[in-house]
Amino acid sequence: MAEEPFRALLEAAPDAMVIVDDDGVIRLINAQTETLFGYPRSELLGRPVEILVPRRFHDQHPGHRLGYSSNQQVRPMGANLELYGLRKDGAEFPVEISLSPLQTPDGLLISAAVRDVSERKAAEARFRALLEAAPDAIVIVDDGGTIQLVNAQTEALFGYRREELLGHQVEILVPQRFHHHHPSHRHGYVDNRRVRPMGAGLDLYGLRKDGAEFPVEISLSPLETPEGTLVSAAIRDVSERKAAEAQLAELYEQQRHVALTLQRSLMGSPAALPGMDTSHRYFPARQGPGVGGDWFDLIALGGGRVGVLMGDVMGRGLEAAAVMGQLRSASHALAKTGMPPWQLMHALDAVVSELPDQLVTCCYLILDPDDSALTVCSAGHLPVLLVDPTGQVRRLPVPVSVPLGVGEVPHQETRLTIPPESVLALYTDGLVETPTSDIEEQIDALAIALEKATADTPCLEAAADAVLAALLPDPQDYADDVTLLLARIPPAPVTAVSALLPAQPVSVGAGRRFLRGTLSDWDCEDLTDTACLLASELLTNSVRHACDPLLLRLRRTRDELHIEVCDGSPVLPHARTASADEESGRGLALLDQLAATWGTLPTQEGKAVWFSLPLPSSAQLREESEESAAEVRATDRNGPV
């Protein structure tokens, strides 16, 4: 009666159950055993258990069985052994066997639960075949980082034999410099358990058996198994690709350097303007071709006047840079003639109209610090910002016409009075234009940054850096060229005087007397003879060929004396060759010989002709000036041009 419940339990077991005595004789089986091995119960009971074991194991099996009988420990299913059963028809099949000792009044019995794992082994074989067929090295580790499985590509890639890797920590394949952080990264991934695609934006490296490092890409996938979570790592050597990328990057940088060198040579570097504090920044785009069409220029126009120019050719690349170079050269040459802003814009418009599919924004202004006056013309360019001496920022009220290249549209200039010590800010759209924000809001943000920067420091260089830091949080990712120009309006010189004269012959003598008296007051007597000689030539020209108003203006800077004669005629003087017996025609030749610089400038009333003389810094300069003036007086007696 006691055996009946036991037999019922035996028959209900899901696995084949075989119970043998300590001699290895089968004493009891269940129906699953008959089904699994193909024997009827009567053919197994009383037979040695080796009937169910393949013949190739018969020599070793009795020793293993006797060893277990002596040990008598429960052995769980599987136990990492490769075991096989033998069916009645002679077919072998893989099995897992768990063993349990049973103490009975008749002696020791051993219960063996036998499970057919053919399907699982077939699945494992298919998995291993897929693993071996994978193009990448595959390394499978458990949640403790121990390598459980690798494929042939892993052996070839890392230089280890398979048995040298299995059972070792995966850090054997990781460079030593990453060992400190790698376990924490590995544990973090096990906790997260998300698929990470190949690459994933990380710079990763592997370590070969010979100690050589190499760049890799690794994709990670979690594998849930009955034994716990495994992590499958597909590893790809990207040494060739990285080398190609480095070569391409080097070629790109070389081409970029050539393009930027070309662009900077076309843009030029404006010379520093004496007496005027300026700061400028230009950064080429960090995306795409890296060159564009931004340019700016500072032009000394004489008499203390300064031309400030900023433009932007729409588009990117070498074509935009080439167009910028043409326009920069043309605008600089035109500005040097003293051309007013509206006329310069009209001339540039004609140039751009001849270029196919080009649009250009441009702003040109002329600053006259003696009058604190600013004449501005803007062709589609962004507003000019002004920081007044109180620190308030505002946009200059300048009408903005269409960009250059549209053609047949007049460009209007505006004359404004600007307080001395104010700061002008000109810029291009790369500083304020972003894909996600309104450009008007960005200009307002620029105004706020400019107000704060100029309040924090009087240095325009530091202010320019502060503005860029506020507007461009990522200085290495410019989507477009960035240009910023800051210029401080100089204070009106205390050593600047003028005299209004009628366009009559007596004005020549009156002008000389005014000039002598002023130079005496300024302690510049050493320049009197030369200055009076040249001023007399200009005054005589204006009396003969021009009309009222006639203005003689003198200004002194730290290094130079500027003298200017303005009249009501728009006709600019031109040099001509005088014969030996003529009394006129040598005035401009005298300017070329004696003046440091000279030029002409159209004005609202007519024109201005100016020249400058360097202030003497030693007795030698005074002596040279006197000798030069004496020579001129001996050959020319103040005849008109």
Side-chain angles (χ1 to χ4, degrees):
M1 294 298 294
E3 292 183 359
E4 292 304 320
F6 178 74
R7 290 180 180 274
L9 287 174
L10 205 63
E11 294 297 333
D15 298 315
M17 301 297 297
V18 179
I19 297 177
V20 300
D21 59 21
D22 55 0
D23 293 325
V25 176
I26 299 174
R27 296 302 182 185
L28 199 63
I29 65 170
N30 63 357
Q32 285 78 3
T33 304
E34 296 179 283
T35 302
L36 180 61
F37 287 92
Y39 287 96
R41 194 180 305 243
S42 59
E43 294 182 11
L44 292 178
L45 296 178
R47 301 288 298 275
V49 72
E50 280 76 18
I51 192 176
L52 304 179
V53 177
R55 184 169 298 277
R56 56 198 172 101
F57 299 118
H58 279 192
D59 292 341
Q60 296 87 12
H61 191 266
H64 294 319
R65 176 167 47 76
L66 292 174
Y68 181 80
S69 297
S70 301
N71 190 17
Q72 298 186 20
Q73 289 185 351
V74 174
R75 190 185 74 186
M77 186 71 73
N80 296 321
L81 299 175
E82 293 288 338
L83 305 176
Y84 292 88
L86 180 67
R87 291 191 176 94
K88 182 178 180 180
D89 60 7
E92 291 187 14
F93 61 100
V95 296
E96 284 183 349
I97 302 177
S98 64
L99 301 177
S100 302
L102 299 173
Q103 294 292 343
T104 69
D106 298 328
L108 175 68
L109 297 179
I110 298 174
S111 172
V114 184
R115 181 177 301 168
D116 183 359
V117 292
S118 299
E119 292 185 1
R120 196 186 74 195
K121 290 292 185 179
E124 289 180 357
R126 288 193 297 270
F127 175 74
R128 289 178 182 274
L130 289 174
L131 207 64
E132 295 298 330
D136 299 314
I138 303 295
V139 178
I140 297 177
V141 302
D142 60 20
D143 55 3
T146 302
I147 299 174
Q148 300 295 326
L149 198 63
V150 298
N151 63 356
Q153 286 78 4
T154 304
E155 296 179 282
L157 181 60
F158 288 92
Y160 287 97
R161 289 178 289 109
R162 196 171 305 223
E163 55 269 22
E164 292 179 297
L165 294 175
L166 298 180
H168 287 79
Q169 289 296 107
V170 72
E171 280 75 22
I172 192 176
L173 305 177
V174 177
Q176 185 70 35
R177 56 198 174 101
F178 299 118
H179 280 194
H180 181 68
H181 303 288
H182 191 265
S184 61
H185 294 323
R186 176 164 46 77
H187 289 308
Y189 180 81
V190 172
D191 294 338
N192 192 18
R193 300 184 186 182
R194 291 184 180 179
V195 174
R196 190 186 75 187
M198 186 71 74
L202 301 174
D203 286 326
L204 305 175
Y205 293 87
L207 180 68
R208 292 191 173 93
K209 183 178 180 180
D210 61 7
E213 291 187 15
F214 60 101
V216 296
E217 283 184 348
I218 302 177
S219 63
L220 300 177
S221 303
L223 299 174
E224 298 297 336
T225 70
E227 291 78 17
T229 300
L230 300 179
V231 177
S232 173
I235 306 169
R236 181 176 300 168
D237 184 356
V238 293
S239 299
E240 292 184 1
R241 197 190 73 196
K242 290 290 186 181
E245 289 176 353
Q247 186 176 14
L248 287 175
E250 183 179 358
L251 290 174
Y252 170 78
E253 285 301 323
Q254 290 176 356
Q255 293 178 355
R256 176 181 171 84
H257 176 71
V258 170
L260 292 178
T261 301
L262 173 63
Q263 184 185 34
R264 292 185 185 278
S265 66
L266 293 173
M267 178 187 290
S269 181
L273 298 175
M276 188 168 184
D277 185 15
T278 62
S279 176
H280 51 79
R281 296 288 185 274
Y282 169 73
F283 298 106
R286 301 295 298 180
Q287 301 175 8
V291 294
D294 289 12
W295 89 93
F296 62 93
D297 207 353
L298 298 169
I299 308 112
L301 301 176
R305 300 178 184 86
V306 175
V308 182
L309 186 71
M310 180 162 288
D312 184 1
V313 179
M314 296 184 184
R316 298 275 300 283
L318 289 178
E319 183 180 2
V323 172
M324 175 274 292
Q326 297 178 58
L327 296 180
R328 192 263 177 190
S329 299
S331 60
H332 186 88
L334 292 171
K336 291 292 286 185
T337 68
M339 185 177 289
W342 73 267
Q343 193 174 359
L344 184 140
M345 289 298 176
H346 180 74
L348 288 182
D349 197 14
V351 174
V352 177
S353 297
E354 294 180 357
L355 302 174
D357 303 323
Q358 292 292 339
L359 286 178
V360 179
T361 66
C362 188
C363 181
Y364 179 51
L365 56 87
I366 294 179
L367 169 66
D368 187 347
D370 289 359
D371 295 337
S372 297
L374 198 65
T375 306
V376 190
C377 186
S378 177
H381 204 72
L382 296 168
V384 179
L385 299 181
L386 176 97
V387 187
D388 65 26
T390 66
Q392 298 297 313
V393 180
R394 59 185 174 90
R395 303 185 187 189
L396 288 184
V398 177
V400 179
S401 62
V402 297
L404 303 176
V406 175
E408 303 301 326
V409 177
H411 300 284
Q412 181 182 353
E413 72 177 24
T414 302
R415 185 176 175 86
L416 305 169
T417 300
I418 303 298
E421 302 292 342
S422 299
V423 176
L424 294 171
L426 290 87
Y427 50 95
T428 55
D429 55 4
L431 182 62
V432 294
E433 190 172 41
T434 66
T436 58
S437 61
D438 181 76
I439 193 168
E440 290 295 325
E441 294 178 356
Q442 288 298 104
I443 293 175
D444 292 339
L446 170 60
I448 294 172
L450 189 62
E451 181 177 0
K452 183 178 186 305
T454 53
D456 291 343
T457 174
C459 175
L460 291 189
E461 291 291 332
D465 290 336
V467 169
L468 290 177
L471 270 292
L472 301 173
D474 187 358
Q476 299 301 319
D477 193 29
Y478 307 126
D480 194 3
D481 290 1
V482 174
T483 307
L484 174 66
L485 173 63
L486 302 180
R488 193 186 306 277
I489 309 291
V494 294
T495 53
V497 294
S498 59
L500 191 62
L501 304 169
Q504 298 176 8
V506 296
S507 295
V508 178
R512 281 199 294 264
R513 289 190 295 273
F514 174 75
L515 185 57
R516 288 182 184 276
T518 301
L519 294 181
S520 177
D521 294 339
W522 289 354
D523 295 326
C524 294
E525 292 91 342
D526 295 335
L527 298 178
T528 300
D529 288 345
T530 303
C532 286
L533 174 61
L534 299 181
S536 295
E537 293 292 341
L538 299 183
L539 288 169
T540 302
N541 251 5
S542 294
V543 169
R544 282 193 172 187
H545 305 293
C547 57
D548 292 335
L550 197 65
L551 182 69
L552 175 62
R553 187 163 76 163
L554 285 71
R555 65 191 308 271
R556 187 185 69 178
T557 65
R558 185 182 62 179
D559 303 314
E560 292 183 318
L561 172 68
H562 295 270
I563 298 176
E564 181 177 285
V565 176
C566 305
D567 59 47
S569 172
V571 180
L572 301 179
H574 59 278
R576 65 184 181 88
T577 302
S579 60
D581 57 348
E582 283 186 295
E583 290 292 328
S584 62
R586 298 183 178 86
L588 298 185
L590 290 175
L591 285 176
D592 279 333
Q593 183 177 356
L594 298 179
T597 56
W598 72 276
T600 60
L601 187 69
T603 64
Q604 288 186 328
E605 296 82 11
K607 68 174 179 299
V609 183
W610 58 271
F611 66 89
S612 64
L613 297 171
L615 293 177
S617 58
S618 66
Q620 180 182 359
L621 290 178
R622 289 195 295 271
E623 182 179 346
E624 291 175 354
S625 178
E626 291 172 358
E627 291 177 355
S628 177
E631 291 176 0
V632 171
R633 285 196 298 272
T635 58
D636 194 313
R637 299 301 179 183
N638 294 334
V641 177

